[in-house]
Structure formats: C-alpha cells, structure tokens
Amino acid sequence: MRKLEDFTFKFLFPAVLVNFIVLDFLHEHEWVTFGLQFGPLIAVIVFILLMAVLERRPSDEVEEIKEDKREGRNRYLFIIILIVSLNLFWGEPRLPILDISRFEFWLCLIILPIVIEFDFKKKTDNIRG
C-alpha cells in the first residue's frame, strides 16, 4: 500500500493539480469543460479519501523523512511558479484564487503556508520548573 501512496501523492495528485491550474487559464476555449477541469481533481480526492479510510495507520507509524518535506516544498514552489508564470504570460484565470493581482491568491497560497511553517511555541514550554 505504501507504493500506491507514493504514486498517488508524488505523481498523480501533482499531475492532476497542474492539469486543473492550466485548464483554468484556458477557460476561453470551448473544449475546456467543467468535467475536464474538475473531474480528475475530484476523482483523485475521492480516491485519496477512500485510501485513507481503507488503511488506518496509527500516527506513530507514519514517519516523515526530511526528503519528503523537501520534495513537498519543491512541488509547492513549482505550483506557485506555474501560477505566476501563467498569470504573466497567458492572462487572467477564471478562479480568483489563481490570479496574482487578487488578495485571495496572496492570502491562501503565500501567506498562510508561510505562517503555518512557523513554530509559535514558547521556548519555555518544554522546560520544567
């Protein structure tokens, strides 16, 4: 099951996400339909949820390696660079969250992920008195 998870999270989900983003910028073409843009994304999300229900592992078994975090950051940076470059070279997307001139993009895709990375615990939380 681990190989299926790796394939899903390292290849399938990023590929479907790129498909969703690129098709959002091509909204003026008649061949871009709701099903073509959202269908694969919805199917993969349902598949991930089904995988999660079928395999319930205790959280202590799940081990996140430094390489996994780095790969995740690289994928995230690729998605942000893709969105910015499509905004600059193609034009405006249909969804406001993918438009770099809108506040929604900066809040949801830039500010919140940066804030989540910070550790807000006080340094004295783990020290015993």
Side-chain angles (χ1 to χ4, degrees):
M1 194 71 151
R2 182 73 179 154
K3 288 182 183 180
L4 182 61
E5 287 177 20
D6 287 344
F7 173 76
T8 303
F9 288 111
K10 290 183 180 179
F11 174 73
L12 189 61
F13 186 69
V16 168
L17 193 61
V18 168
N19 174 59
F20 167 75
I21 291 170
V22 170
L23 287 179
D24 193 61
F25 282 89
L26 301 174
H27 62 86
E28 66 269 357
H29 298 290
E30 65 210 24
W31 55 270
V32 178
T33 62
F34 180 85
L36 183 64
Q37 183 179 6
F38 289 96
L41 185 65
I42 292 169
V44 168
I45 290 173
V46 167
F47 178 70
I48 289 171
L49 292 174
L50 184 64
M51 238 176 23
V53 167
L54 291 178
E55 182 186 332
R56 293 184 181 220
R57 288 191 290 191
S59 60
D60 56 344
E61 278 186 31
V62 178
E63 180 179 313
E64 191 170 5
I65 308 170
K66 250 185 177 180
E67 294 173 10
D68 290 342
K69 286 185 179 183
R70 191 171 343 135
E71 286 178 12
R73 279 193 202 113
N74 289 343
R75 277 189 230 106
Y76 176 74
L77 286 175
F78 171 74
I79 296 293
I80 295 299
I81 291 170
L82 176 70
I83 292 170
V84 170
S85 62
L86 283 171
N87 268 280
L88 295 176
F89 298 118
W90 189 266
E92 285 189 15
R94 182 175 34 192
L95 293 175
I97 195 167
L98 298 178
D99 190 0
I100 61 172
S101 64
R102 304 278 308 248
F103 181 69
E104 292 94 347
F105 169 79
W106 294 101
L107 179 68
C108 295
L109 296 178
I110 305 296
I111 296 172
L112 286 179
I114 290 174
V115 169
I116 290 171
E117 287 294 316
F118 287 123
D119 186 19
F120 291 109
K121 292 182 180 178
K122 294 180 183 176
K123 291 183 179 181
T124 59
D125 283 351
N126 294 330
I127 299 175
R128 295 182 187 233

